Amino acid sequence: MIDVLVVEDDFMVARIHRGFVDSVDGFRVVGTANCGEQALTAVADLEPDLVLLDLYLPDIFGLDVVPRLRTAGHDCDVMVISAAREAEAVRRAVRQGVVDYLLKPFDAEELKDRLERYSARRGDLCAGTVSGQADVDRALGRVAAPTVAPTLPKGMSVETSELVERALRAVDGTLSAAECAERVGISRVSARRYLEHLTVTGRAAVTLRYGHAGRPERRYHWHGG
């Protein structure tokens, strides 16, 4: 079981993230913290394996927590979960050795995927020694590109995936799931599932369009070769 500490200043968001984590097999939330100082105390008291760290905390910037954890001798892993899109924040997170950087907003499936990948990489280092370079690469998230087309998730077809890909390639700009669904002739839910899969595999990228009210609209553009 991987113990997780959620660091998030918004009480309701922390509650949602806690529910997301607790729904993933092999993970459990052992505590929450709503500021940087509280996070430092919680890590010392709870000794989590993984810290889900927001960056916009009310007392200190989230990434300033990481070196203080290391100075105090805590070797927990850190996964950034934040709306911070500044390139410097991402570069700094990488330099500080965070295991992942997930942009808000996201859904339960996106976090589940990141946690499961983290668990797999962590498992590669459970033994006293690694068996070879492949284990090292997986632990660092450096997985070689597959030589064959990646397997689609259950319930998705190659034919529909190709139609969605062509629709995305053809547009000059971005597409929403609803627009893609209309072009391809499938439901909006199905279109979003295929678009998200293209995003996860690195062939598409997603941006957010904010309106006057409600949740931001996810818009996709082709990013692959």
Side-chain angles (χ1 to χ4, degrees):
M1 186 65 69
I2 295 174
D3 291 340
V4 179
L5 173 69
V6 174
V7 182
E8 167 63 56
D9 69 318
D10 187 308
F11 171 76
M12 289 304 298
V13 173
R15 187 174 176 182
I16 292 170
H17 290 177
R18 180 170 197 146
F20 283 175
V21 174
D22 283 338
S23 69
V24 181
D25 289 342
F27 289 84
R28 66 182 175 189
V29 174
V30 293
T32 60
N34 58 28
C35 66
E37 292 296 337
Q38 203 175 91
L40 294 166
T41 301
V43 168
D45 292 342
L46 301 171
E47 298 183 348
D49 302 301
L50 177 65
V51 176
L52 301 189
L53 180 66
D54 186 22
L55 297 188
Y56 296 137
L57 300 175
D59 53 349
I60 58 178
F61 189 57
L63 288 177
D64 292 330
V65 172
V66 182
R68 292 179 62 179
L69 288 174
R70 304 302 177 229
T71 299
H74 303 301
D75 63 352
C76 54
D77 291 319
V78 176
M79 180 184 297
V80 170
I81 293 183
S82 178
R85 295 171 175 271
E86 297 84 359
E88 179 53 34
V90 178
R91 285 193 294 268
R92 185 177 169 194
V94 171
R95 289 196 297 268
Q96 292 187 352
V98 303
V99 297
D100 211 332
Y101 194 115
L102 180 58
L103 288 172
K104 297 177 180 177
F106 56 86
D107 56 29
E109 283 300 312
E110 288 177 288
L111 181 57
K112 179 175 183 287
D113 177 66
R114 302 300 178 110
L115 291 176
E116 289 178 342
R117 279 190 280 171
Y118 163 74
S119 179
R121 295 197 302 268
R122 190 170 185 266
D124 288 332
L125 297 181
C126 283
T129 61
V130 294
S131 61
Q133 185 64 46
D135 284 349
V136 176
D137 289 342
R138 280 193 297 272
L140 295 174
R142 297 170 181 167
V143 181
T147 56
V148 296
T151 303
L152 288 168
K154 185 177 180 180
M156 296 174 66
S157 72
V158 173
E159 294 78 11
T160 304
S161 180
E162 290 176 350
L163 288 173
V164 170
E165 180 178 322
R166 283 203 292 269
L168 200 57
R169 283 173 174 268
V171 70
D172 183 17
T174 64
L175 276 181
S176 67
E179 292 164 348
C180 181
E182 185 176 352
R183 288 169 180 249
V184 177
I186 57 178
S187 71
R188 183 188 63 80
V189 172
S190 293
R192 175 166 179 172
R193 190 177 179 207
Y194 282 94
L195 289 166
E196 289 293 337
H197 177 68
L198 289 174
T199 302
V200 169
T201 56
R203 289 174 289 165
V206 63
T207 56
L208 299 179
R209 175 181 293 175
Y210 291 87
H212 295 294
R215 298 181 62 182
E217 181 184 43
R218 296 174 70 82
R219 299 194 64 84
Y220 306 84
H221 63 272
W222 183 249
H223 187 63

